[in-house]
């Protein structure tokens, strides 16, 4: 008998009048906003422009949602296309079912489109967003708690998760793998932030570190799960995926560090061009001022600007000499 356990919500939907507020969707939305907020702060700190992360996320998020759903439906096709199942359920994303591997892969395509339109390097943008993605996953995993899904083996530990009777599940207490992964993702975010500050990671290496660290945790958490899944050589498909992606991420970090060491000095050319344009404008003004002809020496001197006075008017001696001459003529 458990002395303590984590209760599951009795329902995953809160009715706000005619509008159903689904816990799973709410967690996903909150996660996206937090990821963009963290990414924006890191992007600005790298010298980027505020709002760029959100502009590119407009492309990345929809692509990521589609990719995540596609991965889930393809790898668990029996839940939707086997006998007795309704294929329409494949579109009911609010009922759960997003594969992080597909979300990251197709989300990267959307991010590439957004970055190309803004003229910024995708690796730098991904580095800025990496910790935010991990935090978003940590928040999103609580959506599985609302849906009472993705739990582990039965256990009587004090933090066991209570699962009620329902479709494809048996009442009992199980390992809260959603909680394990949520805490692991928080640790991954902190690791990436620390490593980025310590080693000045650039050219996509902060993002690759996030991927590698997440995969390391996902492999053993996935191994604990008891929900239906395909197996290859005795291991769940997602375990193999985590192992392969982990190896690729580590290889990228090593190769990238050799080929492109250091960090990008310029992450958003548009901002730097504007600054350079202002600097050039100032230089042009200075050059124009230097090339302007010097003012005439007489400019500004009233004494020199007036006509030269006649000699007779200015010499009193000559005035005296001219007086007798004037008398003789008279």
């Amino acid at each position: 008998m458990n002395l303590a356990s984590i209760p599951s919500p009795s329902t995953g939907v809160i009715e706000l009048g005619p509008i159903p507020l689904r816990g799973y969707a709410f967690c996903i939305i909150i996660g996206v906003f937090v990821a963009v907020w963290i990414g924006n702060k890191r992007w600005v700190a790298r010298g980027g422009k505020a709002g760029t992360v959100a502009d590119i996320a407009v492309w990345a998020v929809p692509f990521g949602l589609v990719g995540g759903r596609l991965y889930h439906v393809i790898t668990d096709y029996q839940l939707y296309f086997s006998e007795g199942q309704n294929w329409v359920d494949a579109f009911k994303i609010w009922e759960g079912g997003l594969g992080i591997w597909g979300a990251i892969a197709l989300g990267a395509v959307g991010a590439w489109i957004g970055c190309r339109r803004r003229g910024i390097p995708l690796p730098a943008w991904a580095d800025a967003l990496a910790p935010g993605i991990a935090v978003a996953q940590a928040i999103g995993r609580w959506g599985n708690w609302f849906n009472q899904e993705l739990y582990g083996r039965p256990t009587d530990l004090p933090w066991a998760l209570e699962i009620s009777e329902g479709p494809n599940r048996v009442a009992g207490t199980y390992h809260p793998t959603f909680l394990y992964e949520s805490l692991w993702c928080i640790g991954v975010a902190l690791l990436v932030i620390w490593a980025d500050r310590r080693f000045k990671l650039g050219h996509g290496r902060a993002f690759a570190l996030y991927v590698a660290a997440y995969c390391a945790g996902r492999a053993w958490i996935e191994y604990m799960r008891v929900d239906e899944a395909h197996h290859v050589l005795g291991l769940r498909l997602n375990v193999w995926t985590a192992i392969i992606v982990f190896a690729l991420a580590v290889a990228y970090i090593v190769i990238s560090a050799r080929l492109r060491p250091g960090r990008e000095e310029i992450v958003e050319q548009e901002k730097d061009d504007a600054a350079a344009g202002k600097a050039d404008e100032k230089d042009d003004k200075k050059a124009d001022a230097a090339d302007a002809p010097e003012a005439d020496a007489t400019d500004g001197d009233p004494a020199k600007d007036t006509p030269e006075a006649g000699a007779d008017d200015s010499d009193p001696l000559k005035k005296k000499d001219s007086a007798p001459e004037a008398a003789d003529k008279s």
Side-chain angles (χ1 to χ4, degrees):
M1 179 178 179
N2 289 349
L3 298 178
S5 59
I6 302 173
S8 291
S10 58
T11 178
V13 183
I14 300 176
E15 299 292 343
L16 297 179
I19 303 175
L21 179 61
R22 301 182 181 278
Y24 185 86
F26 186 71
C27 290
I28 297 296
I29 293 171
I30 293 298
V32 169
F33 275 102
V34 172
V36 171
W37 178 74
I38 294 174
N40 181 70
K41 291 180 68 67
R42 286 173 51 81
W43 182 254
V44 172
R46 287 282 303 273
K49 185 178 180 181
T52 296
V53 169
D55 291 343
I56 297 174
V58 170
W59 289 89
V61 172
F63 273 74
L65 291 175
V66 172
R69 189 60 176 178
L70 281 176
Y71 181 89
H72 167 73
V73 172
I74 291 172
T75 56
D76 291 306
Y77 62 87
Q78 73 282 353
L79 300 177
Y80 308 100
F81 303 105
S82 60
E83 186 178 355
Q85 302 296 333
N86 187 356
W87 63 271
V88 176
D89 292 340
F91 297 95
K92 297 180 180 179
I93 191 173
W94 57 85
E95 293 183 355
L98 288 175
I100 185 60
W101 319 110
I104 293 297
L106 207 56
V109 175
W112 175 80
I113 295 174
C115 287
R116 187 175 179 83
R117 289 169 60 90
R118 292 297 297 265
I120 65 175
L122 174 61
W125 185 85
D127 284 342
L129 202 66
I133 296 176
V135 174
Q137 288 179 252
I139 297 172
R141 274 306 177 199
W142 284 86
N144 303 130
W145 177 61
F146 281 100
N147 288 351
Q148 295 195 47
E149 59 185 359
L150 306 187
Y151 45 85
R153 303 187 187 98
T155 183
D156 57 358
L157 291 170
W159 56 85
L161 176 67
E162 297 178 10
I163 296 296
S164 61
E165 189 74 24
N168 302 320
R169 65 175 187 251
V170 179
T173 55
Y174 301 85
H175 277 284
T177 50
F178 85 91
L179 178 60
Y180 298 161
E181 186 169 336
S182 179
L183 295 175
W184 182 268
C185 287
I186 293 295
V188 170
L190 295 175
L191 172 65
V192 173
I193 291 174
W194 170 81
D196 192 28
R197 291 178 178 176
R198 176 66 176 81
F199 302 106
K200 303 296 182 184
L201 301 177
H203 302 287
R205 288 188 287 276
F207 183 81
L209 176 61
Y210 144 73
V211 172
Y214 171 75
C215 289
R218 178 63 185 267
W220 68 267
I221 294 172
E222 184 74 24
Y223 186 74
M224 297 177 64
R225 283 167 49 173
V226 294
D227 53 302
E228 187 177 356
H230 295 286
H231 287 72
V232 178
L233 300 177
L235 293 178
R236 293 167 65 95
L237 177 61
N238 281 335
V239 174
W240 283 111
T241 304
I243 292 173
I244 294 172
V245 175
F246 172 84
L248 292 175
V250 172
Y252 178 86
I253 292 173
V254 174
I255 296 174
S256 174
R258 292 180 178 178
L259 297 179
R260 306 185 71 182
R263 174 188 283 181
E264 300 94 336
E265 294 183 1
I266 299 175
V267 295
E268 191 162 8
Q269 192 68 39
E270 179 182 351
K271 180 176 181 179
D272 293 300
D273 286 346
K278 291 182 179 179
D280 292 341
E281 184 179 351
K282 291 181 179 179
D283 291 341
D284 291 340
K285 289 182 178 180
K286 291 181 179 179
D288 292 341
D291 295 338
E294 292 186 5
D296 189 271
T298 61
D299 291 346
D301 191 344
K304 295 182 179 180
D305 288 343
T306 57
E308 186 175 349
D312 293 340
D313 295 338
S314 60
D315 192 344
L317 294 177
K318 290 184 178 181
K319 288 182 180 179
K320 290 180 180 179
D321 292 340
S322 61
E325 184 177 351
D328 293 339
K329 290 182 178 179
S330 62

